[in-house]
Amino acid sequence: MRPFCTVQELMVLDPLRQSTIVGGWAGRENQISQVVTAVPQLAASDLTNSLVIIRQESQVQDTEATLRTYLHFGAAAILFIGPETVLLPCLAVIAEEGQMPLLAIGKPLEEQEIIFALELVITLKQGNRLIHFTEYSDLNQLAAIGTDLPPLLTKLAVYLQNPVVLVNPAFHIISSSTDETLLDRIEREQLTRLVRFQHYRCKAGELFAKPYLSKLEDSNGGSVSCWVNPLLRDGQLYGYLLVFDVSDHLNPLDICRIKETGIFSLQVLAHRKTIEDTEKKYQDHFLYDLLYNNFVTEESLIQRARHWNWDFSKPQQILIMEPDDLHLLTNKSRMLRELQLNVEDFLQHKYRQVIVTEQQGQIVIIIGDITDDNKTAKQQWKSLGKSLQAYMQEIITDVTFSVGIGKFYTTIADLCRSYQEAKHALDLGRFIQEKGHITHFEELGIIRLLSHMSLEQLDDYYKEYLAVLIEYDEKNDTNFIETLHVYFQQNGDLNLTAEKLFQHANTLRYRLKKIEELLETDLKQLENRINLSVACKIFKMRKTNL
């Protein structure tokens, strides 16, 4: 048997690397062992495993009938050569039906050049060096396409016969191949969401540098494989190149081409991010002035905002979102960036103007152009906070998120007040509720008054009521302070308190009785309960250095 390579393998090298795939690419693994040029006297029996060259100036008549003849007698592929080659649509149809690759190249080409390439590919293949050679051979070809991503992705999709999608680190679609015959826009979006959820569920939000295959179930109950290629540089994630393998037949050369396209896509995204980061510095400077009331007049601020098409002439609402126990996370900056991107992705379809920025380890959300119906809808903003939490919990399952909401104000000059109130609601809400809380500033009650007192006053207050209990806990390791705090959190309900503390109700009664003895107080008296409840809240605040 004569040595051979596949059509796809032959296209690894010039000159066929520069050819255009017209149709029949499903036959890319057809075997080629010889190259022949079509002439009127060409014997059909000589076509088995052949790449047949048809030149524009050749005397081949009735191209459609000739193509069918070559297909019938086992030709592996057809290459049309000529500067102005125009192929009828019916030829591509024939190639598709027969799974015989139909290629075209505009520049003049000699048969011997293709024979030399065939012999070289066979030699590389026999030495197991073809894949290694391929991995480093295509970047110049890709660079010639320019920085426009759709043509780049479409070229890859045509080569793979599979749809291609480029997404950011939050799996929001940046660009995709333009051919919708393989998957339409809605199907691509649905499958991209499935990849995102599976990625975060399986990887637990970790950063994986190597490509991997993800198995998905589509809405029709079928399965689709997706090749996920992370786009990383110097430890920074720029996005993912996704290839939905609808044909379920990606081979090593396909993977090489995906990696090559990924490298060039990474260059484009890195360049874009450099520009975006420069612009972001100006945005952050503006937002700092906005949130800290650092401007001369409202009109001057409104004018500055118009540079980014932001309209601050209308009321805005502020929410702040933060991962709980952020200080314990190993990669805080990546977590905050993913949180910011996912929040933007979630909100941009719900509101006409959404600004999401990171300030001091917290994600600040400014929602603008609010209608009259929303002005006093405190519950609506809490509901939005819950939706945001649920959305993030599906993506990053091992981290909880808390939300603080500021009061609504009608003027931009008061937006700094709403920002400070949202920060207080976020920080102080943890002492009213637990992790994953959603707190509106108006719900803080007496706690928001405490936030304006000096640290010395706060220390004096809690020590006046709790010093004896604190000292007893330190000596006896009893943790009575926590018992008292949970008791107040549960509004004095013994059963709920015992459940929270994992204690028997009788054990809890004994501990509360001992607390009353130590503090010489009666917990049934309302005034005593208020004083001790406030003291417990202050103690927890000070322990957390708030």
Side-chain angles (χ1 to χ4, degrees):
M1 182 178 179
R2 297 176 63 178
F4 68 88
C5 71
T6 66
V7 178
Q8 184 180 16
E9 289 168 344
L10 184 56
M11 291 185 68
V12 165
L13 301 181
D14 287 333
L16 261 65
R17 189 175 191 82
Q18 300 176 44
S19 64
T20 300
I21 301 167
V22 178
W25 193 237
R28 58 189 169 180
E29 294 191 5
N30 291 351
Q31 298 176 0
I32 297 176
S33 59
Q34 63 177 344
V35 178
V36 297
T37 299
V39 291
Q41 65 272 24
L42 179 63
S45 59
D46 296 334
L47 297 181
T48 304
N49 294 344
S50 297
L51 170 65
V52 182
I53 300 173
I54 300 179
R55 300 183 184 278
Q56 181 182 353
E57 67 275 11
S58 69
Q59 299 179 1
V60 174
Q61 303 296 320
D62 193 354
T63 309
E64 182 178 349
T66 302
L67 202 63
R68 290 190 183 278
T69 300
Y70 293 164
L71 175 63
H72 179 72
F73 285 97
I78 305 292
L79 174 64
F80 284 89
I81 299 177
E84 298 179 1
T85 301
V86 178
L87 300 180
L88 298 173
C90 63
L91 301 183
V93 173
I94 295 170
E96 290 292 343
E97 291 174 350
Q99 296 188 2
M100 179 177 66
L102 189 60
L103 313 174
I105 190 166
K107 69 175 188 177
L109 202 59
E110 296 299 323
E111 179 181 304
Q112 191 58 44
E113 294 179 70
I114 303 174
I115 292 173
F116 175 77
L118 175 63
E119 292 172 349
L120 180 55
V121 168
I122 291 172
T123 301
L124 289 170
K125 183 178 177 181
Q126 290 173 338
N128 295 319
R129 290 177 292 161
L130 183 61
I131 298 299
H132 179 77
F133 181 88
T134 304
E135 288 176 343
Y136 300 97
S137 62
D138 198 37
L139 291 182
N140 290 333
Q141 293 291 330
L142 291 174
I145 298 174
T147 58
D148 197 8
L149 287 170
L152 176 72
L153 303 181
T154 300
K155 185 178 178 69
L156 177 62
V158 170
Y159 180 84
L160 300 176
Q161 293 290 287
N162 284 307
V164 179
V165 175
L166 182 66
V167 297
N168 69 9
F171 285 85
H172 177 67
I173 296 177
I174 299 171
S175 184
S176 63
S177 53
T178 55
D179 186 0
E180 292 200 357
T181 57
L182 298 168
L183 277 180
D184 61 32
R185 180 183 59 82
I186 295 176
E187 289 175 316
R188 281 200 305 265
E189 290 175 353
Q190 290 173 340
L191 288 174
T192 300
R193 282 195 293 270
L194 286 175
V195 175
R196 176 182 61 188
F197 289 131
Q198 189 172 95
H199 173 84
Y200 281 109
R201 191 163 55 244
C202 297
K203 308 299 180 186
E206 295 180 27
L207 188 61
F208 275 65
K210 294 183 179 180
Y212 66 92
L213 193 64
S214 180
K215 293 288 187 180
L216 311 171
E217 288 188 8
D218 60 26
S219 57
N220 299 320
S223 62
V224 176
S225 298
C226 179
W227 185 259
V228 182
N229 193 68
L231 305 180
L232 282 160
R233 175 184 289 176
D234 298 328
Q236 182 170 353
L237 179 66
Y238 289 86
Y240 300 91
L241 186 64
L242 309 180
V243 176
F244 295 105
D245 187 11
V246 294
S247 62
D248 200 24
H249 191 63
L250 290 177
N251 60 40
L253 285 176
D254 295 334
I255 303 303
C256 286
R257 186 62 68 93
I258 293 170
K259 290 179 180 178
E260 291 161 357
T261 305
I263 291 171
F264 192 74
S265 298
L266 175 59
Q267 293 175 346
V268 175
L269 294 182
H271 176 70
R272 287 186 181 183
K273 190 170 189 307
T274 300
I275 298 173
E276 290 169 359
D277 286 348
T278 302
E279 186 71 11
K280 186 176 181 296
K281 289 179 181 178
Y282 292 103
Q283 290 181 354
D284 288 345
H285 183 70
F286 166 80
L287 293 171
Y288 181 88
D289 289 347
L290 170 70
L291 297 175
Y292 289 92
N293 214 23
N294 186 26
F295 54 90
V296 179
T297 64
E298 288 186 35
E299 186 57 36
S300 66
L301 198 72
I302 291 171
Q303 284 296 118
R304 284 175 63 191
R306 285 175 181 155
H307 175 74
W308 298 286
N309 294 319
W310 295 340
D311 184 4
F312 276 92
S313 64
K314 298 178 181 178
Q316 316 282 319
Q317 176 67 50
I318 287 187
L319 298 84
I320 300 179
M321 192 171 192
E322 181 183 48
D324 294 315
D325 299 324
L326 179 63
H327 62 287
L328 299 178
L329 300 178
T330 55
N331 196 327
K332 301 175 189 176
S333 59
R334 184 171 63 84
M335 167 61 71
L336 290 171
R337 182 164 182 256
E338 287 190 4
L339 177 58
Q340 181 177 347
L341 289 170
N342 279 291
V343 168
E344 287 175 346
D345 184 42
F346 180 80
L347 294 176
Q348 66 180 354
H349 304 300
K350 297 180 178 292
Y351 299 94
R352 282 171 287 191
Q353 178 176 300
V354 175
I355 301 169
V356 183
T357 182
E358 189 239 310
Q359 297 282 330
Q360 300 172 345
Q362 297 174 331
I363 301 302
V364 181
I365 304 163
I366 306 173
I367 300 175
D369 199 9
I370 301 169
T371 61
D372 290 341
D373 293 338
N374 293 334
K375 288 185 178 179
T376 56
K378 178 174 71 175
Q379 199 54 44
Q380 176 177 333
W381 299 118
K382 292 196 68 174
S383 177
L384 175 63
K386 288 181 180 178
S387 299
L388 266 172
Q389 282 182 332
Y391 181 76
M392 290 307 305
Q393 207 65 56
E394 285 184 331
I395 297 171
I396 307 175
T397 57
D398 57 342
V399 178
T400 58
F401 301 89
S402 292
V403 179
I405 306 171
K407 290 169 63 177
F408 176 82
Y409 296 96
T410 57
T411 63
I412 192 173
D414 287 320
L415 208 57
C416 63
R417 291 181 62 187
S418 183
Y419 171 61
Q420 293 300 326
E421 289 167 355
K423 285 174 68 69
H424 284 313
L426 179 64
D427 294 336
L428 301 178
R430 293 191 172 98
F431 306 104
I432 301 174
Q433 307 176 61
E434 299 178 350
K435 293 177 182 178
H437 74 86
I438 301 172
T439 305
H440 195 285
F441 181 74
E442 293 176 349
E443 298 172 332
L444 291 175
I446 194 171
I447 290 294
R448 74 188 194 202
L449 299 178
L450 300 178
S451 66
H452 298 293
M453 294 175 64
S454 69
L455 299 181
E456 291 79 9
Q457 289 174 311
L458 292 173
D459 288 344
D460 288 344
Y461 188 92
Y462 86 74
K463 287 176 182 177
E464 178 182 343
Y465 287 95
L466 298 176
V468 173
L469 208 57
I470 293 170
E471 183 180 355
Y472 188 87
D473 276 346
E474 289 174 350
K475 290 181 178 179
N476 299 279
D477 195 25
T478 48
N479 206 15
F480 281 153
I481 286 284
E482 181 64 17
T483 299
L484 195 60
H485 177 68
V486 175
Y487 175 71
F488 290 134
Q489 269 191 329
Q490 303 304 319
N491 299 313
D493 188 310
L494 288 175
N495 291 328
L496 288 177
T497 304
E499 185 178 331
K500 281 285 182 183
L501 294 171
F502 301 102
Q503 294 176 359
H504 192 276
N506 290 336
T507 302
L508 176 61
R509 290 189 183 92
Y510 168 79
R511 291 173 69 85
L512 291 174
K513 187 67 177 175
K514 184 65 176 178
I515 290 170
E516 287 181 317
E517 292 174 2
L518 290 169
L519 298 179
E520 297 180 354
T521 190
D522 183 359
L523 293 177
K524 296 183 180 68
Q525 295 295 320
L526 178 61
E527 184 177 353
N528 295 338
R529 289 161 69 111
I530 292 174
N531 290 334
L532 287 171
S533 176
V534 172
C536 283
K537 292 180 188 298
I538 294 173
F539 176 72
K540 290 220 51 163
M541 287 169 59
R542 296 296 291 124
K543 289 282 283 184
T544 321
N545 296 319
L546 286 177

